[in-house]
Amino acid sequence: MVNRTWNRNVLSTVILGILFLGFSTTWSKEVLTNHWYVELDGDGGVESAKLVAKRTGFTYVGPVLGSSNEFHFVHSAVPNIRTKRSIGHTRLLKAHPKVKRAVQQTGYLRVKRGFKPKITGVPVSEIKLKLQSLDEDKARAVNVKIDGKSPTDPLFKKEWYLKNVGQSGGIPGLDLNVEDAWAQGFTGKGITTAIMDDGIDYLHEDLRHSYNAKASYDFSSNDPYPYPRYTDTWFNSHGTRCAGEVSAARDNNICGVGVAYNSQVAGLRMLDQPFMTDLIEANAMGHVPNDIDIYSASWGPTDDGKTVDGPRNMTMRAIVKGVNEGRHGRGNIYVWASGDGGADDDCNCDGYAASMWTISINSATNDGQTAGYDESCSSTLASTFSNGKSTLRDAGVATTDLYNNCTTTHSGTSAAAPEAAGVFALALEANPNLTWRDMQHLTVLTSKRNSLFDPYLKHHWKYNGAGLEFNHLFGYGVLDAGAMVDLAQKWKPLPERFHCTAGSVKKEMKFGTEQPIELKIDTDACVGTENEVNYLEHVQVFVTLKASYRGNVVMFVTSPMNTTTMVLSQRPNDDDHKNGFTRWPFMTTHTWAENPRGLWKLQISMAPGKNNAMDTGSFFEWTLILHGTKDAPYDKQVVDGNKHTKLYKVKRVHEAMRKA
């Protein structure tokens, strides 16, 4: 089976060339590592690469994305962190007759989301296995009834995100509705989720039976054993906590239970090092793509409200290859935590969360609000849960912890992404033929508004032109596992996806705090061509501009069906005045299923700065790219109007659009 994701894969090549030319980071000096990308002439193969490494004094690490002529080398005599390029070592490689190209790898920061280390020497988790024989008084105090069908794991009573009955100050019924999916017979059996993180405690009693050793690897140490490195602060507990959310065992009297408790988890240890490299990231995201179904990432560029950064070239290649070829052509599912930068950051400045190839997940609290650390952006597709507003210690996410321990304090969007991965594992068991696009459509159509709301009343729930309700904070709502597996079972293949370059505006224009500008593109959405798009999925707004204070730039895009979405919000901490944005791909999912034909508008303004400072900017270019289908995506879907009201509604809208 071949996933015809792109029309001749043209756009993949285009985006790889232009996507991240203008990123900026918080580091003023370039950091170099002792890792090299080496390309050999022809299909040299592994043995040739090993020979080249040996003769040049390097250590052979492995192929890049399974290539026969691209390889990863390391030089032990070069410091793993330095500020100057090792020109001599690069020349030595290039002088070898079989070496076509050699590039020393730049180092950059990638940060775990939601991790708050404790004081040195004080364990992060205090819930030992010996405490799990909860006495009856404590069990009654939790106020969760075990009905004979619910898991008997001792911490299940605290897993309000799985079954919310009001514990820890939550709203009853505000949960992932996993028991409905379990009741339909789906528990994640046969599905593997890779936790790309700081390792997994695969010896943990709640994880060892679900651990997929074959699909695991340690990219920090280059061995097959991704066990977390010990620190006094338990800094490397992050991956183990995420793994437990997905596949902690059921009814074994240990910790809690995972969303997809019969699924497997693989550990891809790649975060535990001073600086990330493009090669390590790429190889982790492309590791055994036919054995791994879902890749879960709870990390990204620094959430400081001023970083604009994303995947480099090799990593982009890995993701594109994954969605096109992974899972034997159905496409790997990449789940991303949207970010913990709070209201002063925007996840559209994170090239991972804002990628149309990933499913960006935000978090909600147990009482339906947005957490203080949540970022908002138009690329967020849906939400799960992180922690509660309650002062109770166990209002966080209950899951596995290092060294056979448990915790009830896991939080942040770090906790949200693995929950989503667990729900997707349930859906893949219900229908193993689902593609990466199917999963995004199912997410849009089955997520629920439920009781989610913005306590600050800045972001209201709205309907787009196709009748789909969305929110700038929560995307299309909270995942509903029961509804997703129900629809997944009868899901029909989608029409082929195309891309259309709708138009560009290239001219220099000044804008400022009191001088907003509006740009327009009138498009036929490539009608009559091989790239015709009549029903939208993702919309990308590639923008080039500079400003005296980048963080005060605010942008909105309005579709022909009059859906206005904020593609960039104010980021008060971003004081950049040199780099701006260079063809940065701001992305929105808010126009999903709309007809793209007609007038698109881009509004750019400068929000007042500190002390009402008046800032100015220069706009240079806007390119609008539409992604979607020529044929109606849901015509073949069998729908029960009582069960799947969103799908029923959008099908009616599409029928009306065709008649008009």
Side-chain angles (χ1 to χ4, degrees):
M1 176 179 178
V2 177
N3 179 11
R4 299 173 68 190
T5 305
W6 300 108
N7 189 316
R8 298 173 181 83
N9 288 326
V10 173
L11 189 59
S12 302
T13 304
V14 173
I15 290 183
L16 287 177
I18 66 177
L19 194 48
F20 295 113
L21 298 180
F23 69 83
S24 66
T25 69
T26 55
W27 290 88
S28 57
K29 291 185 177 181
E30 186 179 45
V31 175
L32 283 307
T33 70
N34 61 343
H35 298 261
W36 266 261
Y37 163 86
V38 179
E39 182 182 1
L40 301 185
D41 264 323
D43 294 332
V46 170
E47 294 307 316
S48 290
K50 288 181 177 179
L51 187 60
V52 170
K54 183 177 181 179
R55 290 184 175 177
T56 55
F58 283 77
T59 299
Y60 169 86
V61 176
V64 177
L65 300 177
S67 172
S68 61
N69 67 330
E70 296 174 281
F71 299 94
H72 181 185
F73 287 5
V74 171
H75 203 297
S76 58
V78 177
N80 59 1
I81 300 173
R82 56 182 292 153
T83 56
K84 293 184 179 180
R85 290 192 174 274
S86 303
I87 297 175
H89 292 92
T90 302
R91 284 177 176 169
L92 183 62
L93 280 170
K94 289 182 176 179
H96 195 286
K98 289 190 176 181
V99 174
K100 181 178 180 181
R101 189 157 58 115
V103 181
Q104 188 177 7
Q105 291 290 286
T106 302
Y108 47 88
L109 288 179
R110 291 294 175 258
V111 182
K112 305 170 195 177
R113 288 176 169 158
F115 181 82
K116 297 177 178 62
K118 299 290 183 178
I119 301 172
T120 301
V122 178
V124 175
S125 174
E126 298 172 358
I127 303 178
K128 310 291 184 182
L129 288 178
K130 65 182 181 181
L131 296 181
Q132 291 175 359
S133 55
L134 301 175
D135 59 46
E136 291 301 315
D137 290 336
K138 288 182 180 178
R140 282 194 293 270
V142 177
N143 195 31
V144 180
K145 295 181 179 179
I146 299 298
D147 55 13
K149 296 181 181 179
S150 295
T152 60
D153 303 80
L155 290 188
F156 176 71
K157 308 171 188 68
K158 299 179 185 292
E159 292 182 288
W160 50 266
Y161 52 95
L162 301 184
K163 186 171 184 177
N164 194 336
V165 296
Q167 66 269 54
S168 301
I171 295 177
L174 180 57
D175 54 44
L176 296 173
N177 193 27
V178 295
E179 287 199 321
D180 185 0
W182 296 343
Q184 295 179 56
F186 302 110
T187 57
K189 189 174 182 180
I191 307 302
T192 293
T193 298
I195 305 297
M196 300 187 294
D197 215 288
D198 55 18
I200 291 179
D201 182 356
Y202 47 78
L203 301 177
H204 198 293
E205 290 296 320
D206 220 16
L207 293 174
R208 63 188 184 93
H209 295 295
S210 62
Y211 178 66
N212 187 335
K214 178 184 175 183
S216 299
Y217 196 77
D218 189 331
F219 291 94
S220 294
S221 299
N222 295 313
D223 61 56
Y225 309 107
Y227 198 83
R229 178 177 59 87
Y230 174 79
T231 66
D232 286 344
T233 59
W234 285 22
F235 179 70
N236 293 317
S237 62
H238 198 251
T240 301
R241 294 179 174 194
C242 293
E245 291 180 86
V246 178
S247 64
R250 174 174 175 157
D251 298 337
N252 64 344
N253 200 35
I254 300 170
C255 296
V257 62
V259 173
Y261 54 81
N262 275 330
S263 68
Q264 290 188 302
V265 285
L268 300 180
R269 181 171 175 261
M270 38 91 78
L271 287 185
D272 187 22
Q273 51 208 343
F275 291 93
M276 180 59 64
T277 70
D278 192 19
L279 283 181
I280 291 175
E281 244 181 45
N283 276 328
M285 292 186 202
H287 185 63
V288 290
N290 289 328
D291 296 324
I292 293 172
D293 300 287
I294 303 165
Y295 295 82
S296 179
S298 292
W299 50 269
T302 309
D303 286 326
D304 56 6
K306 59 184 178 181
T307 298
V308 178
D309 201 359
R312 270 62 169 175
N313 184 270
M314 297 301 299
T315 301
M316 287 300 302
R317 279 180 55 187
I319 296 174
V320 171
K321 185 179 176 70
V323 297
N324 278 289
E325 301 175 16
R327 294 179 53 240
H328 302 284
R330 294 182 290 273
N332 298 119
I333 315 298
Y334 292 92
V335 185
W336 224 275
S338 61
D340 287 354
D344 289 342
D345 208 345
D346 187 301
C347 39
N348 246 348
C349 292
D350 173 348
Y352 301 88
S355 169
M356 58 190 172
W357 294 303
T358 68
I359 300 179
S360 178
I361 299 293
N362 205 352
S363 72
T365 60
N366 63 348
D367 56 359
Q369 301 183 51
T370 177
Y373 46 73
D374 282 340
E375 294 180 33
S376 62
C377 66
S378 57
S379 56
T380 295
L381 202 62
S383 299
T384 55
F385 299 98
S386 52
N387 58 275
K389 297 282 187 179
S390 171
T391 57
L392 296 176
R393 186 179 185 280
D394 58 4
V397 168
T399 182
T400 51
D401 213 344
L402 285 177
Y403 317 127
N404 236 24
N405 294 317
C406 317
T407 182
T408 58
T409 60
H410 190 39
S411 66
T413 54
S414 276
E419 291 171 19
V423 173
F424 298 152
L426 299 176
L428 287 180
E429 183 193 6
N431 185 347
N433 290 320
L434 294 175
T435 68
W436 71 278
R437 286 178 56 218
D438 292 331
M439 196 63 74
Q440 296 207 18
H441 280 267
L442 287 169
T443 298
V444 170
L445 294 173
T446 62
S447 296
K448 302 291 195 301
R449 174 177 176 175
N450 204 311
S451 300
L452 304 183
F453 70 100
D454 175 13
Y456 305 106
L457 303 178
K458 290 174 59 180
H459 301 296
H460 302 282
W461 286 90
K462 303 174 184 177
Y463 287 92
N464 73 7
L468 294 169
E469 192 174 24
F470 69 92
N471 184 282
H472 192 71
L473 283 165
F474 304 113
Y476 286 94
V478 65
L479 293 181
D480 184 319
M484 183 174 281
V485 300
D486 181 78
L487 188 56
Q489 292 176 75
K490 42 185 174 268
W491 188 255
K492 307 296 182 185
L494 290 167
E496 185 175 357
R497 170 183 167 104
F498 299 97
H499 72 275
C500 168
T501 302
S504 294
V505 176
K506 297 182 180 180
K507 62 179 177 179
E508 185 171 352
M509 296 177 66
K510 301 295 183 183
F511 62 95
T513 305
E514 295 184 341
Q515 185 187 356
I517 59 174
E518 182 176 85
L519 306 149
K520 299 178 181 179
I521 292 177
D522 196 351
T523 179
D524 62 3
C526 299
V527 64
T529 73
E530 61 183 6
N531 291 317
E532 181 174 339
V533 175
N534 296 319
Y535 304 90
L536 283 173
E537 292 178 7
H538 307 89
V539 173
Q540 289 181 301
V541 177
F542 288 81
V543 173
T544 300
L545 60 78
K546 290 185 178 180
S548 59
Y549 198 96
R550 184 173 64 182
N552 289 335
V553 178
V554 178
M555 294 193 294
F556 292 86
V557 66
T558 302
S559 74
M561 297 190 77
N562 207 33
T563 299
T564 297
T565 176
M566 180 164 57
V567 293
L568 177 64
S569 59
Q570 185 179 18
R571 303 199 309 158
N573 298 323
D574 184 0
D575 59 358
D576 171 79
H577 63 280
K578 294 181 179 179
N579 295 309
F581 297 102
T582 302
R583 291 192 62 79
W584 185 262
F586 298 96
M587 194 268 281
T588 180
T589 62
H590 294 170
T591 54
W592 200 275
E594 287 191 3
N595 184 334
R597 196 165 295 125
L599 187 65
W600 289 81
K601 301 176 184 177
L602 177 66
Q603 298 91 25
I604 305 176
S605 61
M606 297 289 291
K610 295 178 181 178
N611 301 319
N612 290 316
M614 310 296 275
D615 292 295
T616 59
S618 295
F619 164 84
F620 300 102
E621 182 181 359
W622 164 36
T623 299
L624 177 67
I625 299 184
L626 311 171
H627 306 271
T629 62
K630 176 181 179 180
D631 301 321
Y634 306 132
D635 276 4
K636 295 180 180 179
Q637 306 304 332
V638 179
V639 58
D640 180 340
N642 295 319
K643 278 188 176 182
H644 301 290
T645 55
K646 276 189 178 181
L647 177 56
Y648 179 80
K649 181 184 293 187
V650 74
K651 284 188 71 170
R652 301 288 82 78
V653 171
H654 285 174
E655 287 176 6
M657 285 164 53
R658 287 197 294 274
K659 290 178 181 178

